[in-house]
Amino acid sequence: MSRVGVVGAGYVGLTTGACFAHLGHEVVVGDIDTDKIHRLAKGDIGILEEGLPELVAEGLSTRRLRFVVGAASAAADAEFVFLCVPTPRGSEGDADLSAVEDVVREIAPLLTPGTVIVNKSTMPVGSTALVARLLGAAGAVAELGVASNPEFLREGTAARDFLHPYRVVIGADDPAVAVRVSELYRDVQAPVLVTNPASAEMIKYASNAFLAMKVSYVNAVANLCEAVNADVREVTLGMGYDPRIGFEFLHPGPGWGGSCFPKDTAALLHTAARVDDDFPLLAAVISMNDAQQDRVVDKIRDALGGAPAGRRVGVWGLTFKANTNDLRDSPAVAIVRRLVEDGVAVRAYDPAGGESAAELVPGLEVAADPYEACVDADVLVVLTEWDEFRWLDFTRVAGLSTGRSIVDARNLLDPAAMRHLGFAYRGVGR
Ligand code: UGA
């Protein structure tokens, strides 16, 4: 079992630390946010993530998981240091690596020979080499290893994705370093792929961009379905049975969002531009996604008879997808913001992200439950696919709302049942 230092206690770092501790390693997670570290040390993880509170509690009780303030304390005694700090979108669409650079400079003098620095956060092609150069420039000892080990964690199922991954990718020029990193995953059942660092970095971006492309594609197909009287649900079912296509990531909606796809597609486009490649397919995937939000807003305006100002809309769902409390780059938040700017009175309910959304969108009213969101609403809008919205008492919903009109941007509800209750129903691609 190894001593693992994790720098950054966000989604990726916390999941990485808790799961490595579960696998038997001695883990120290460091973050500059003192309050967060104090909360984590008490087992309060502050995010909605299935199974993660239990793993953190387990790690704290076995003392294999510790939380400390600062990168240096996490890295000082480690055999492996996982860099899990944010790599947000820079001003040009590139990934901003300043947090990575600061951490590497800070920890470089502390590292002992044989330590391996592992890039876990999503970082552009060339970042593993950059870390190696920064270590050298910052006066680190020569005998260090560097590797890329990208994460493929979905928010909401991050712990499961870590412990039961589709694959483990390790990018390292030194085969001995790759073997050492792979040994950390000894008890994980998954194919391990060893590549050079650039390929590992590219695997991560190409995977996220491909998934984003699938969603943009199905959104485009859904729009076409509306025009030719086809039902996208039947279409994707018929497509998905072909294993070359598959069923996953073929659900149309208000566009992809979250902390990864928007940032990573922009960064990949930026990487392409750096080598004079326009990557028009990827550019279209991104612009298609922006247009999809416009289409949902247009549907809501239509449902309001083209005169949105002064009307009332009830919204179900604000997070960027279900089973997370994350509102970052949420299409739902962007759509709600545009409605509020149109002069619409919006009252929204979300099982996990409501209170924080009110801070992001001034003027947004937050409802305590899904029924309160419907009171006197001219139009009801489903923006996030929380399962609980399927099972509401729709007779009660019909009684509470003024206009019987639903825009279901996630195709969550049964159109026939809604029409039976007297609702005008607008879905996506059906
Ligand atoms: C994504 C990837 O799925 C992970 O593999 C990756 O590790 C992670 O980014 C990351 O880079 O860290 P996540 O951002 O949690 O994970 O979200 P996804 O579940 O991939 O969904 C992304 C967006 O696509 C959401 O807005 C979701 O609503 C949308 N989506 C997804 C659809 O509209 N339709 C679909 O069929 C699937």
Side-chain angles (χ1 to χ4, degrees), residues 2 39 85 101 110 119 203 238 246 282 290 347 369:
S2 303
R39 282 197 305 273
V85 293
E101 292 169 9
L110 308 170
N119 287 357
I203 286 168
L282 181 58
D290 298 337
R347 194 183 292 132
D369 63 53

Short mmCIF file of all heavy atoms in Angstrom, two decimals, residues 2 39 85 101 110 119 203 238 246 282 290 347 369:
data_model
loop_
_atom_site.label_atom_id
_atom_site.label_comp_id
_atom_site.label_asym_id
_atom_site.label_seq_id
_atom_site.Cartn_x
_atom_site.Cartn_y
_atom_site.Cartn_z
N SER A 2 0.41 2.30 -0.61
CA SER A 2 1.27 3.47 -0.85
C SER A 2 0.78 4.70 -0.10
O SER A 2 -0.39 4.78 0.29
CB SER A 2 1.29 3.77 -2.35
OG SER A 2 1.73 2.64 -3.06
N ARG A 39 -14.49 21.22 7.48
CA ARG A 39 -15.76 20.49 7.28
C ARG A 39 -15.48 19.04 6.88
O ARG A 39 -16.10 18.11 7.38
CB ARG A 39 -16.60 21.19 6.20
CG ARG A 39 -17.32 22.43 6.69
CD ARG A 39 -18.43 22.84 5.73
NE ARG A 39 -17.96 23.02 4.36
CZ ARG A 39 -17.46 24.15 3.88
NH1 ARG A 39 -17.35 25.21 4.67
NH2 ARG A 39 -17.06 24.23 2.62
N VAL A 85 -6.32 20.02 -8.86
CA VAL A 85 -6.77 21.41 -8.69
C VAL A 85 -7.56 21.85 -9.91
O VAL A 85 -7.45 21.23 -10.98
CB VAL A 85 -5.56 22.35 -8.45
CG1 VAL A 85 -4.92 22.06 -7.11
CG2 VAL A 85 -4.55 22.25 -9.57
N GLU A 101 0.30 25.32 -11.89
CA GLU A 101 1.67 25.85 -11.87
C GLU A 101 2.06 26.30 -10.46
O GLU A 101 3.18 26.00 -10.01
CB GLU A 101 1.78 27.02 -12.87
CG GLU A 101 1.66 26.54 -14.31
CD GLU A 101 1.49 27.69 -15.30
OE1 GLU A 101 1.63 28.86 -14.91
OE2 GLU A 101 1.19 27.39 -16.47
N LEU A 110 9.96 20.16 -1.89
CA LEU A 110 9.69 19.20 -0.80
C LEU A 110 9.78 17.75 -1.24
O LEU A 110 9.81 16.84 -0.40
CB LEU A 110 8.28 19.42 -0.25
CG LEU A 110 7.89 20.84 0.14
CD1 LEU A 110 6.40 20.93 0.41
CD2 LEU A 110 8.68 21.22 1.38
N ASN A 119 -0.91 13.96 -12.96
CA ASN A 119 -1.96 14.92 -13.35
C ASN A 119 -3.28 14.18 -13.43
O ASN A 119 -3.49 13.33 -14.30
CB ASN A 119 -1.65 15.52 -14.73
CG ASN A 119 -0.52 16.52 -14.67
OD1 ASN A 119 0.02 16.81 -13.59
ND2 ASN A 119 -0.15 17.05 -15.83
N ILE A 203 -6.88 11.38 -24.84
CA ILE A 203 -7.99 10.43 -24.59
C ILE A 203 -9.08 11.12 -23.78
O ILE A 203 -10.27 11.00 -24.07
CB ILE A 203 -7.47 9.17 -23.86
CG1 ILE A 203 -6.68 8.28 -24.83
CG2 ILE A 203 -8.64 8.38 -23.25
CD1 ILE A 203 -5.88 7.16 -24.16
N GLY A 238 -34.54 2.88 -31.75
CA GLY A 238 -34.19 2.12 -32.95
C GLY A 238 -32.72 2.24 -33.30
O GLY A 238 -32.11 1.29 -33.81
N GLY A 246 -25.32 2.45 -29.62
CA GLY A 246 -25.57 2.36 -28.18
C GLY A 246 -26.66 3.33 -27.73
O GLY A 246 -26.99 4.27 -28.44
N LEU A 282 -16.13 19.93 -34.31
CA LEU A 282 -16.22 20.28 -32.88
C LEU A 282 -16.83 21.68 -32.72
O LEU A 282 -17.65 21.91 -31.82
CB LEU A 282 -14.84 20.20 -32.22
CG LEU A 282 -14.78 20.51 -30.74
CD1 LEU A 282 -15.69 19.58 -29.93
CD2 LEU A 282 -13.34 20.40 -30.22
N ASP A 290 -25.24 25.82 -28.08
CA ASP A 290 -25.76 27.15 -27.73
C ASP A 290 -27.15 27.34 -28.33
O ASP A 290 -28.06 27.88 -27.68
CB ASP A 290 -24.81 28.25 -28.25
CG ASP A 290 -23.43 28.14 -27.60
OD1 ASP A 290 -23.34 27.56 -26.51
OD2 ASP A 290 -22.44 28.62 -28.21
N ARG A 347 -40.75 30.98 -10.83
CA ARG A 347 -40.63 30.33 -9.53
C ARG A 347 -40.17 28.90 -9.79
O ARG A 347 -40.83 28.16 -10.52
CB ARG A 347 -41.95 30.34 -8.78
CG ARG A 347 -41.77 29.98 -7.32
CD ARG A 347 -43.08 29.90 -6.56
NE ARG A 347 -43.73 31.18 -6.40
CZ ARG A 347 -45.02 31.39 -6.66
NH1 ARG A 347 -45.77 30.41 -7.11
NH2 ARG A 347 -45.57 32.57 -6.49
N ASP A 369 -41.21 23.26 -2.79
CA ASP A 369 -41.52 21.93 -3.34
C ASP A 369 -42.04 22.11 -4.77
O ASP A 369 -42.32 23.23 -5.20
CB ASP A 369 -42.52 21.18 -2.44
CG ASP A 369 -43.85 21.88 -2.35
OD1 ASP A 369 -44.45 22.17 -3.42
OD2 ASP A 369 -44.30 22.19 -1.23
#
